[in-house]
Amino acid sequence: MTEATTRYVFICGSALRGQPDHGNLQSAAFVREAKTKPMYRLHSVQNGWHPGIYPVEEGGISIPGEVYEMTVEQFDYLASNEPPNMHPKDVYLEDGSVVTAFLYPRELVEQYGWEDVSHYGGWVAYKMATAPTSS
Protein backbone atom coordinates (compact mmCIF):
# COMPACT_ATOMS: atom_id res chain seq x y z
CA MET A 1 0.00 0.00 0.00
CA THR A 2 1.37 3.44 -0.89
CA GLU A 3 0.95 6.63 1.05
CA ALA A 4 -1.37 9.20 -0.52
CA THR A 5 0.52 11.97 -2.30
CA THR A 6 -2.39 14.41 -2.39
CA ARG A 7 -5.35 15.25 -0.22
CA TYR A 8 -8.56 17.20 -0.68
CA VAL A 9 -8.87 20.24 1.55
CA PHE A 10 -11.96 22.38 2.23
CA ILE A 11 -11.15 26.09 2.52
CA CYS A 12 -13.77 28.45 3.96
CA GLY A 13 -11.92 31.55 5.21
CA SER A 14 -9.20 33.99 4.26
CA ALA A 15 -7.51 31.56 1.82
CA LEU A 16 -10.51 31.44 -0.53
CA ARG A 17 -10.07 32.80 -4.06
CA GLY A 18 -9.98 36.59 -3.92
CA GLN A 19 -9.16 36.65 -0.21
CA PRO A 20 -5.94 37.96 1.38
CA ASP A 21 -4.40 34.59 2.31
CA HIS A 22 -5.14 32.74 -0.94
CA GLY A 23 -1.39 32.63 -1.60
CA ASN A 24 -1.04 30.19 1.30
CA LEU A 25 -2.52 27.55 -1.01
CA GLN A 26 0.47 28.03 -3.35
CA SER A 27 -0.45 26.39 -6.65
CA ALA A 28 -2.94 23.88 -5.20
CA ALA A 29 -5.48 22.76 -7.78
CA PHE A 30 -8.96 24.25 -7.35
CA VAL A 31 -11.43 21.36 -7.58
CA ARG A 32 -14.86 22.89 -6.96
CA GLU A 33 -17.04 25.10 -4.82
CA ALA A 34 -18.72 23.17 -2.03
CA LYS A 35 -20.74 23.48 1.17
CA THR A 36 -20.53 21.52 4.37
CA LYS A 37 -23.45 19.54 5.65
CA PRO A 38 -25.45 21.76 8.06
CA MET A 39 -23.56 20.56 11.13
CA TYR A 40 -21.07 23.36 11.85
CA ARG A 41 -21.00 26.79 13.47
CA LEU A 42 -18.87 29.71 12.28
CA HIS A 43 -17.25 32.21 14.65
CA SER A 44 -15.14 35.33 14.21
CA VAL A 45 -11.99 34.45 16.16
CA GLN A 46 -10.02 37.29 17.66
CA ASN A 47 -12.55 39.83 16.40
CA GLY A 48 -12.29 39.02 12.72
CA TRP A 49 -8.70 37.81 12.41
CA HIS A 50 -9.83 34.42 11.14
CA PRO A 51 -12.84 32.10 11.10
CA GLY A 52 -13.32 29.33 13.59
CA ILE A 53 -15.58 26.45 12.66
CA TYR A 54 -16.48 23.40 14.69
CA PRO A 55 -19.09 20.65 14.50
CA VAL A 56 -22.31 20.75 16.52
CA GLU A 57 -24.99 18.17 17.27
CA GLU A 58 -27.82 20.59 16.42
CA GLY A 59 -28.27 24.14 15.13
CA GLY A 60 -25.52 23.87 12.52
CA ILE A 61 -25.32 25.63 9.18
CA SER A 62 -23.89 24.73 5.77
CA ILE A 63 -20.67 26.66 5.37
CA PRO A 64 -19.70 27.60 1.81
CA GLY A 65 -16.16 27.14 0.62
CA GLU A 66 -13.86 25.62 -1.93
CA VAL A 67 -12.17 22.24 -2.28
CA TYR A 68 -8.53 22.05 -3.36
CA GLU A 69 -6.31 19.12 -4.21
CA MET A 70 -3.02 19.63 -2.39
CA THR A 71 0.29 17.85 -2.38
CA VAL A 72 1.76 16.87 0.96
CA GLU A 73 4.15 19.82 0.68
CA GLN A 74 1.36 22.29 -0.08
CA PHE A 75 -0.71 20.95 2.81
CA ASP A 76 2.24 21.18 5.21
CA TYR A 77 2.88 24.77 4.09
CA LEU A 78 -0.77 25.68 4.61
CA ALA A 79 -0.80 24.01 8.03
CA SER A 80 2.32 25.92 9.07
CA ASN A 81 0.59 29.20 8.18
CA GLU A 82 -2.72 28.54 9.92
CA PRO A 83 -3.46 30.57 13.06
CA PRO A 84 -2.71 29.03 16.45
CA ASN A 85 -5.08 26.29 17.65
CA MET A 86 -6.35 25.43 14.16
CA HIS A 87 -6.17 21.70 13.53
CA PRO A 88 -6.92 19.49 10.51
CA LYS A 89 -10.03 17.31 10.81
CA ASP A 90 -12.46 15.59 8.51
CA VAL A 91 -15.48 17.63 7.46
CA TYR A 92 -18.62 16.38 5.77
CA LEU A 93 -19.79 18.06 2.61
CA GLU A 94 -23.35 18.28 1.28
CA ASP A 95 -22.56 15.84 -1.53
CA GLY A 96 -21.56 13.17 1.01
CA SER A 97 -17.81 13.47 0.47
CA VAL A 98 -15.39 13.79 3.36
CA VAL A 99 -12.39 16.11 3.05
CA THR A 100 -9.95 17.80 5.41
CA ALA A 101 -10.50 21.28 6.85
CA PHE A 102 -8.88 23.32 9.59
CA LEU A 103 -11.22 23.53 12.56
CA TYR A 104 -11.01 25.57 15.73
CA PRO A 105 -11.63 24.21 19.23
CA ARG A 106 -15.15 24.96 20.41
CA GLU A 107 -13.83 25.17 23.98
CA LEU A 108 -11.66 28.17 23.05
CA VAL A 109 -14.50 29.87 21.18
CA GLU A 110 -16.66 29.55 24.30
CA GLN A 111 -13.83 30.51 26.68
CA TYR A 112 -13.14 33.77 24.83
CA GLY A 113 -16.72 34.44 23.73
CA TRP A 114 -15.81 34.86 20.06
CA GLU A 115 -18.81 36.14 18.08
CA ASP A 116 -20.98 33.57 16.33
CA VAL A 117 -21.27 34.81 12.74
CA SER A 118 -23.06 31.78 11.34
CA HIS A 119 -26.10 33.89 10.42
CA TYR A 120 -24.03 35.67 7.73
CA GLY A 121 -23.86 32.38 5.84
CA GLY A 122 -20.08 32.25 5.35
CA TRP A 123 -16.79 33.98 6.07
CA VAL A 124 -16.71 36.14 2.93
CA ALA A 125 -20.29 37.31 3.51
CA TYR A 126 -19.39 38.18 7.12
CA LYS A 127 -16.27 40.11 6.08
CA MET A 128 -18.18 42.02 3.38
CA ALA A 129 -21.02 42.91 5.78
CA THR A 130 -18.68 44.13 8.51
CA ALA A 131 -16.02 45.88 6.38
CA PRO A 132 -15.61 49.57 7.14
CA THR A 133 -17.14 51.78 4.50
CA SER A 134 -15.30 54.77 3.16
CA SER A 135 -17.16 58.06 3.04
Side-chain angles (χ1 to χ4, degrees):
M1 188 158 95
T2 60
E3 185 175 328
T5 57
T6 63
R7 71 193 310 168
Y8 291 93
V9 180
F10 179 75
I11 301 295
C12 64
S14 64
L16 290 163
R17 291 176 296 171
Q19 296 301 303
D21 294 326
H22 185 70
N24 286 343
L25 302 182
Q26 299 179 317
S27 59
F30 172 79
V31 177
R32 67 185 189 281
E33 292 183 353
K35 283 183 146 189
T36 65
K37 287 189 174 186
M39 53 188 290
Y40 300 91
R41 298 299 295 175
L42 173 66
H43 287 258
S44 174
V45 175
Q46 294 187 352
N47 300 316
W49 180 38
H50 65 86
I53 70 169
Y54 57 83
V56 293
E57 295 290 324
E58 56 185 45
I61 66 161
S62 291
I63 297 174
E66 300 166 347
V67 175
Y68 289 83
E69 183 176 9
M70 305 185 96
T71 65
V72 171
E73 295 80 14
Q74 290 167 331
F75 180 82
D76 290 346
Y77 181 83
L78 176 63
S80 72
N81 284 283
E82 286 293 330
N85 303 305
M86 301 284 279
H87 57 280
K89 294 290 264 188
D90 286 346
V91 293
Y92 301 89
L93 301 182
E94 280 185 333
D95 67 4
S97 61
V98 179
V99 297
T100 302
F102 285 88
L103 303 186
Y104 196 79
R106 181 177 186 167
E107 303 76 37
L108 290 178
V109 167
E110 291 172 351
Q111 177 183 344
Y112 292 106
W114 302 129
E115 179 185 7
D116 186 325
V117 296
S118 300
H119 61 282
Y120 286 97
W123 186 249
V124 173
Y126 161 71
K127 292 301 277 185
M128 289 177 61
T130 60
T133 56
S134 53
S135 306

